[in-house]
Amino acid sequence: MATPENRHEPGYLTVRRVTPETGVTFRTFYGERNFPAWPALGSLIGWGATPIGYDLMWRVSSDDPDDWPVVFAGYRDGAAYEFPYGMAEFLVRMLGDPVDRPTELPGVLGHPHSRFLSVPEERMFRAAGQDPWEYVDEFMEERERERMERSPVTWIPGPGRPTYDLPPLPRMTLQGFGVDDNALRITATLDVELGEPVRARVSIESPDGALLDRAEVVAAVERLNGLLVLDIRLPEDANASGMTWRETVNAMNREEDWTLDVWVQDPAIGEARARHGIVVGHNMQESAVDIAMAMWP
């Protein structure tokens, strides 16, 4: 997490330059939303950033800072998430058990590979000649070495990217996919109870176009810590590309522009959203309110 220190005036604390100086528009699950320039009501104040350029902010929603929700925004993709709680709860959730995290954010590694340091604590490390964030580089390098050593690749871990165009509640998360006994196996979790059988649909896009379009399969279901764990398996004959699933997974690991989408449709999903006041989201028709989706990468 970035510290709120002005790098042009060391030792002087500020809200940093991530605070928009003019109005800014982000795409959210409920449509495009304009945030005015600070200090207007509804504006954004930056308090942190991820290593790859996503900003963590407060939205000035009232005169009481304790009420300000957290907004996670990416300027490159023009999308934003808003969470109905402040910075302290956000950090506790992100640095705690993965099941309790509000979302999988790019550049936020999570427990046990993330931590939060106050400005005085960070200064103490640096004064002693220590880089408090060096371990992150070492961890990422080790993870990359492990990835390179896995040849051929048989499993690609999730969680993929958030589905900005669908409401974040209930949340479906892609845990990973790979090859298991010549079948393509996909594991995903969903934080709402569904009726059985659970029918999942899978879509895979290669750089050359659709490889697998909405193949439907009944998922095996387990329950773990309040989550529905979906085990989705597609046999070899479901792959009409001329490649084996093993070749496909290796290509997805090496090459860019591959995508994998998994979604389920059930009235329980729409009912869960209705309990949070969500009836229709951005670019959603009434029929899509019952759909939850997970995406990779």
Side-chain angles (χ1 to χ4, degrees):
M1 301 293 180
T3 56
E5 184 171 4
N6 189 323
R7 302 198 176 181
H8 300 290
E9 300 179 54
Y12 180 75
L13 302 186
T14 179
V15 293
R16 291 177 61 100
R17 55 190 176 84
V18 296
T19 297
E21 297 176 357
T22 60
V24 61
T25 298
F26 287 112
R27 178 169 53 87
T28 70
F29 78 86
Y30 44 77
E32 288 193 347
R33 181 170 180 177
N34 178 260
F35 297 88
W38 186 79
L41 192 67
S43 62
L44 300 174
I45 299 179
W47 56 264
T50 71
I52 59 173
Y54 286 81
D55 292 324
L56 297 163
M57 309 180 186
W58 288 292
R59 179 171 64 82
V60 182
S61 59
S62 70
D63 294 332
D64 186 356
D66 288 340
D67 294 335
W68 294 353
V70 167
V71 172
F72 166 73
Y75 286 96
R76 286 178 294 183
D77 56 16
Y81 261 146
E82 180 175 308
F83 302 98
Y85 38 75
M87 180 182 73
E89 182 173 348
F90 178 87
L91 292 175
V92 168
R93 286 172 176 261
M94 286 305 299
L95 300 181
D97 192 310
V99 173
D100 295 328
R101 292 179 198 164
T103 188
E104 297 291 345
L105 303 184
V108 180
L109 302 176
H111 176 80
H113 306 294
S114 288
R115 61 179 173 178
F116 179 82
L117 294 179
S118 66
V119 173
E121 288 173 326
E122 186 178 19
R123 285 178 183 160
M124 275 177 29
F125 275 102
R126 298 198 182 280
Q130 301 176 31
D131 180 357
W133 310 113
E134 186 176 5
Y135 79 97
V136 175
D137 294 334
E138 294 172 354
F139 168 74
M140 297 299 288
E141 290 170 3
E142 178 62 26
R143 191 162 68 172
E144 180 63 18
R145 282 195 297 269
E146 291 176 355
R147 188 186 71 82
M148 296 300 292
E149 289 170 1
R150 291 194 299 266
S151 182
V153 171
T154 58
W155 187 259
I156 297 178
R161 63 187 185 277
T163 52
Y164 290 109
D165 288 337
L166 290 178
L169 298 170
R171 179 175 50 157
M172 186 173 181
T173 303
L174 182 69
Q175 300 298 332
F177 63 94
V179 181
D180 185 3
D181 195 23
N182 293 325
L184 179 66
R185 181 181 182 184
I186 304 167
T187 302
T189 55
L190 184 62
D191 55 359
V192 66
E193 187 70 26
L194 303 181
E196 294 191 32
V198 175
R199 299 184 181 276
R201 290 190 170 186
V202 181
S203 175
I204 299 177
E205 287 276 342
S206 74
D208 299 323
L211 177 72
L212 186 72
D213 187 22
R214 300 193 179 186
E216 185 173 297
V217 62
V218 175
V221 176
E222 292 185 8
R223 290 160 181 83
L224 178 66
N225 297 329
L227 292 176
L228 211 63
V229 182
L230 309 182
D231 187 0
I232 304 162
R233 295 173 184 262
L234 293 171
E236 193 76 77
D237 58 14
N239 187 348
S241 67
M243 304 168 65
T244 66
W245 282 129
R246 193 173 302 275
E247 291 170 338
T248 301
V249 170
N250 273 278
M252 295 174 77
N253 182 66
R254 293 192 310 267
E255 303 170 7
E256 296 181 354
D257 298 327
W258 284 83
T259 62
L260 183 149
D261 298 338
V262 182
W263 66 98
V264 295
Q265 186 168 9
D266 192 282
I269 296 170
E271 292 168 4
R273 287 174 176 152
R275 288 195 294 271
H276 289 83
I278 300 171
V279 179
V280 179
H282 178 47
N283 287 337
M284 292 176 62
Q285 298 177 353
E286 292 285 351
S287 59
V289 176
D290 292 344
I291 293 175
M293 180 181 291
M295 309 171 73
W296 177 89

